[in-house]
Structure formats: C-alpha cells, structure tokens
Amino acid sequence: MELFEFLQYPFMQRALVAGILLGVLLAALGVFVTLRRMAFFGEGIAHASLAGIAIAILVGMNPLPIAMIWAVILALLIFILEQKTKLPIDTVIGIFFTSSMALGVVLMSFTTGFQPELLSFLFGSILSVSISDLWTIAIPTIVILIWLFSSQRQLTFLSLSEEQAIVSGIPVRLQTALLYIALAIATVLGVKILGIILVSALLIIPPAISRLHAKSFRSHMILAVLFSEVIIVLGLALSFLYDLPSGAVIVLVGAFLFLLSLLFSH
Amino acid sequence: MIQVKNLSVAFGHQTILSHVSFNVQHGEIAAVIGPNGSGKTTLIRAILGLISSEGEVLIENEHPSHIRAHVGYVPQRFRFDPDFPITVKEYLDLPRPHVHKKEYSQKLKEVGLEASILHKPLGSLSGGQLQRVLIAQATIHHPSLLILDEPSTGIDIVGEEQFYDLLKEQRDQHGTTIILVSHDIAVISSIVDQVICVNKKLICFGPPKQALTQEKLSELYGKKDAALYSHHQHH
C-alpha cells in the first residue's frame, strides 16, 4: 500500500519506533497534564530547553541528554518555587520559560556559522533519529512508563484532591516532583520529533480527543495512547507521501482528529 | 481519643487560631462550630497535619501523620471537572486498590447507595450521592476517626437529616469517632456529643446543652446573630 511504503526505509523505521515510544509516553503523561490543567508546563519546558541545547552545542556534546538534564533542573526549581511561594504555577513556569529561552538565545549568539542542530530542535527532526537517539529515547521512556503505571492511582488521586491524597498516606510531594521530572524528560524527548514549538501538541491533543469519548479513567488512558499512535503513524506516513515537514503534519493530523471527534462525540 | 493541646496556627503575622485545647473520646461525634472565618477549617486541617501548627495533636496517642490508615477525611470542597471520565468504582479504588467488589457493595449500601452506582461516571452524581460516595471512600477502611468539613453543603434539608443519620450509623456500627464542621447548630445539637466552638480561640467545649449557653453564643457569633442561633437551637 502506497501510504505505508515509507516503512521500507531504515530512517523511517527508526522514526516510527521513536514516534510509537514517545506517543505512548506523551499521551499517558498528557492525561495527567490535562487533568491538572498544566498544559503550559510542557510548552514552558520545551521552550526553556533551548538553553540546554545551546550549552550542548557550545561544548560540542549531544544536545538531547544535556537538554534533558537542564529541563529536569528547571522542573525541580518550578516544583520548589511552587511549594515555597504562593505564586501560581503558570507564573512560575512563565518566569523560567522566558528567562531560560533568553539564555538559550544569548548562548546561541556565541556559536558561529549555520546551526542545523538548532533548527532541528526548533521544528523537530524525527527523520534524523539515529540508533543512539533511539536508545536515548527508549530507556527513559520505559523507566517513566513503569513508574507511571505503578503510580497512576496515586497520581490521579492527588490530581483530583491533594488533601484527601495526603490524608490517605500518599507521598504527594514526592509523586508530584516525580511527575514534573517525568514531564520535563518526556517533553525534551518529544522536542526531538516535534520540535520546541509543537511538542506540547502531543501532550494535549490525544488526551483531549480521548476525553470526548471515554466513560472511565481506564478507557481514557487507553484511548489517549491509541489516538496518539494513530496521529503519529498517520502523520509520518502523510508527511512522507506528500514530502511535508513531519512534525507539523503530525500536529495537523491530531487537530483534524480532534475536530472530527468534536463533531461525532455528541 | 483525639487530644488537642494548645493548638495555634498563624499565617505570617496573622493569628488564625490561638491555644485551642480539647479532647474527643472514642466513639463520640463532635461538631466544630463558629462564624465564617473563625478558623474551623484551619482547625480541621491542623488536626489532620495538612498545615503547620504549634501545640500538640494526638490521635489514639499518635501524631496524625503516623496513623493515616486510621483516619478518613471528607473535605469541604471536592472540586473536580464533572466531565473528567472516572467511574465511582475507579474513584473508590484510588486510595486503596484491590478492595473486593462485595466490600464496595456493602459499604455503598451502608451509605444508602445501590451497588449499580459503581459503574456510573462520578461527574453524573447528584450533590447528595457524591457526598455519600466521598463518605464511602473515607470509611471503606473502617477508620477510627472520620473528619468531615461542612459535609452537608449542597444537600437539601431532607437529605441533610438522612446524612446525619448516616453519620450516627457509622459511629454506632463501627465505633468511629467523628469530627465535623458545621454551620447548622439546630441540626447538629441533637446528634452530637460535643461541640467545639471556635472564633480564633476556643469559646466553648462540651455537650451542646451545657456548652451552648446564651453567653457563649453571644461571644461566638456576636449578640445580634447569637439570638438567631439560640432561637434555632431551641426549635
């Protein structure tokens, strides 16, 4: 079939594996992002990771691990400030998002010549995923998913009612901090395929579509992951078929499915 | 037994509660009463260890954080997006998974709900049904202490009476000690063993008939409002 012709190319196979892994991860975390109304977190961390990418490019290292470490530090700072001050989380994220991105821009000005790495992180480059990138994506993804599925009841409870969760003995602070760290890592990994500008779409669109159809939390989670995979595979195939930027096509497929779901959900 | 000794809470320089002390015995129902902004919810949250406080709170001679498994809590506001897809069973499962379905059915029956409600979306329940589900979740593990913050909010008068009957049944069947925050002195006076009157400090404590004197009500609510409360109390 012409649509799936892209599967015969090794770079597309690697792209598909990366997409499928990140599709599960971002959609599963996205369920909690939408429940907690923290969509801005993904957006903020993605933009803030520019400073990590700039540092890696300046010192000649692989940008993905450095950006991940940078994002985790920021996520922890956001968590600590949220706990210690009375500032709303979106304000705290906004401060770090803009200042870290500004730092990234300043650091980038020290690099000379054309920076293909920078462009690939701004708009994503799923087609350039290497075998070592696949490992960098697969290992954290598996670790986060194991934690997420073993903690999903606790995460749901603390997201619905933090006080009840504390009283029932759930380690709320620890699990919240771990959720922020997991989100930071997942967002940076997502930057590789969708880019800084579009990555939060995969955190938000699949759970949003799933919510329109799901009747239980279990079905919400399963549908979010399924929609995420459909969006990524279809987006990749269409971008290959029509020679279009893959990250943008993935997001547009997601938006189209969301509109379609809106029409047929009631 | 719940022992509260010299409990004080301050947010910055603002004192919310000052040197509150009282004991509630095992199996008693106690109501925390007081005007708006008097520190009722703060007292409850301090007892639960949700906010930092000075003084001492002991539940069955232990610090609250050490005996989480013996405490059930129904908060004042359970705000959630009613469109969020979660069934009643999934919600009940959140703090303690692997509870047998039979236990749920029995607990739901105790709180006056049918077992068929388990598969309904939580967001589709009425205010009264939701309140009962919250109590079912807070008591499924048979806590020795159940704390409810303004539990009858959003329930009509008939529902309110049934609701307080339900609390009495919890106490009678399981020996649960219950502390609840309430505005409704008239209703709670007939069902509670102790009232804890607070307005920044402890104004009165004891069985309602002895503790709720005209003088104490005036101190608690101010002279004008106290007459109204006193009138309600004697009807």
Side-chain angles (χ1 to χ4, degrees):
Chain A
M1 196 180 160
E2 203 184 357
L3 185 65
F4 293 102
E5 206 182 291
F6 71 97
L7 287 174
Q8 56 188 286
Y9 299 98
F11 72 96
M12 286 306 282
Q13 290 164 1
R14 289 195 298 273
L16 191 69
V17 174
I20 286 172
L21 281 169
L22 288 169
V24 181
L25 182 65
L26 291 168
L29 283 170
V31 166
F32 296 100
V33 168
T34 50
L35 170 60
R36 298 170 66 95
R37 295 168 192 269
M38 52 188 294
F40 190 45
F41 187 96
E43 192 77 31
I45 287 289
H47 284 77
S49 68
L50 185 70
I53 294 162
I55 293 167
I57 290 173
L58 273 177
V59 297
M61 290 176 77
N62 183 355
L64 209 52
I66 303 295
M68 258 195 284
I69 294 166
W70 182 258
V72 168
I73 292 169
L74 287 185
L76 286 174
L77 284 173
I78 291 168
F79 173 75
I80 292 165
L81 268 187
E82 192 191 4
Q83 301 281 321
K84 301 276 178 206
T85 69
K86 286 180 179 161
L87 290 170
I89 185 169
D90 55 348
T91 306
V92 178
I93 294 168
I95 293 165
F96 281 104
F97 155 24
T98 48
S99 48
S100 180
M101 191 155 183
L103 179 65
V105 172
V106 169
L107 290 175
M108 280 295 176
S109 71
F110 295 124
T111 59
T112 48
F114 177 63
Q115 290 299 329
E117 286 273 27
L118 174 64
L119 272 184
S120 79
F121 276 95
L122 278 179
F123 299 105
S125 59
I126 192 168
L127 304 185
S128 70
V129 169
S130 63
I131 293 286
S132 86
D133 284 337
L134 268 188
W135 282 112
T136 311
I137 291 169
I139 293 167
T141 297
I142 291 165
V143 172
I144 292 171
L145 285 177
I146 290 171
W147 163 77
L148 188 70
F149 286 103
S150 62
S151 305
Q152 64 165 318
R153 279 196 183 91
Q154 295 195 352
L155 291 171
T156 310
F157 201 20
L158 70 90
S159 302
L160 282 173
S161 172
E162 196 172 291
E163 290 193 343
Q164 280 176 295
I166 293 170
V167 172
S168 59
I170 290 170
V172 167
R173 280 190 179 186
L174 174 69
Q175 290 289 34
T176 307
L178 289 175
L179 179 64
Y180 284 17
I181 291 170
L183 264 172
I185 293 172
T187 305
V188 172
L189 293 176
V191 163
K192 179 72 189 168
I193 62 167
L194 285 182
I196 286 169
I197 296 162
L198 298 176
V199 64
S200 58
L202 274 187
L203 275 172
I204 300 160
I205 295 176
I209 301 173
S210 155
R211 251 178 106 137
L212 295 172
H213 303 281
K215 298 275 181 274
S216 66
F217 184 75
R218 188 182 145 84
S219 61
H220 181 32
M221 186 62 95
I222 292 169
L223 283 176
V225 170
L226 283 177
F227 279 120
S228 178
E229 298 302 4
V230 168
I231 289 166
I232 289 172
V233 175
L234 206 58
L236 263 181
L238 289 173
S239 71
F240 178 80
L241 201 61
Y242 298 105
D243 194 22
L244 293 166
S246 47
V249 175
I250 289 170
V251 176
L252 288 176
V253 169
F256 178 71
L257 275 184
F258 177 73
L259 287 176
L260 217 59
S261 289
L262 266 185
L263 288 176
F264 290 102
S265 64
H266 295 295
Chain B
M1 189 171 81
I2 291 88
Q3 296 163 280
V4 176
K5 288 181 200 164
N6 267 326
L7 187 78
S8 297
V9 180
F11 296 143
H13 296 296
Q14 194 187 359
T15 302
I16 309 295
L17 282 174
S18 178
H19 303 289
V20 173
S21 300
F22 60 85
N23 293 339
V24 178
Q25 303 299 324
H26 189 75
E28 282 186 336
I29 301 180
V32 181
I33 60 168
N36 286 335
S38 58
K40 301 188 294 292
T41 295
T42 302
L43 175 61
I44 292 293
R45 298 181 80 221
I47 291 173
L48 288 165
L50 293 170
I51 50 172
S52 56
S53 58
E54 281 179 26
E56 190 175 41
V57 176
L58 293 173
I59 301 173
E60 308 293 351
N61 290 319
E62 299 262 12
H63 189 271
S65 61
H66 296 157
I67 61 151
R68 297 286 191 211
H70 301 287
V71 179
Y73 172 49
V74 179
Q76 184 179 9
R77 288 185 191 90
F78 178 66
R79 282 201 198 116
F80 79 107
D81 180 354
D83 290 327
F84 182 71
I86 185 165
T87 64
V88 171
K89 181 173 183 306
E90 284 174 327
Y91 175 72
L92 291 173
D93 272 340
L94 291 177
R96 288 163 202 87
H98 316 305
V99 174
H100 199 274
K101 206 176 169 184
K102 261 188 181 173
E103 268 185 79
Y104 280 144
S105 303
Q106 198 183 335
K107 180 49 77 180
L108 287 174
K109 202 175 161 190
E110 259 181 42
V111 299
L113 294 171
E114 299 282 334
S116 58
I117 208 170
L118 278 172
H119 301 291
K120 281 193 173 179
L122 194 67
S124 70
L125 306 186
S126 68
Q129 284 175 321
L130 180 63
Q131 201 60 279
R132 282 160 198 268
V133 168
L134 291 177
I135 292 179
Q137 191 197 51
T139 57
I140 192 86
H141 59 302
H142 304 300
S144 53
L145 172 64
L146 174 63
I147 294 185
L148 308 101
D149 193 353
E150 298 203 26
S152 60
T153 309
I155 304 178
D156 58 34
I157 295 167
V158 179
E160 199 178 359
E161 278 180 22
Q162 290 172 346
F163 181 77
Y164 285 120
D165 286 343
L166 164 70
L167 293 186
K168 275 199 282 189
E169 276 171 31
Q170 276 297 318
R171 188 265 307 271
D172 297 341
Q173 284 182 17
H174 304 290
T176 316
T177 308
I178 298 172
I179 298 180
L180 60 106
V181 170
S182 183
H183 272 300
D184 199 340
I185 297 182
V187 178
I188 55 111
S189 292
S190 60
I191 70 147
V192 303
D193 303 298
Q194 309 284 353
V195 283
I196 303 155
C197 323
V198 288
N199 194 353
K200 310 284 181 200
K201 58 181 183 174
L202 189 72
I203 305 289
C204 64
F205 170 69
K209 280 190 179 165
Q210 290 160 33
L212 296 176
T213 61
Q214 187 62 44
E215 185 193 351
K216 291 295 178 190
L217 284 170
S218 298
E219 199 180 338
L220 190 62
Y221 292 104
K223 277 192 178 160
K224 194 178 153 198
D225 290 340
L228 190 69
Y229 281 109
S230 176
H231 174 78
H232 279 306
Q233 193 198 346
H234 295 295
H235 280 76

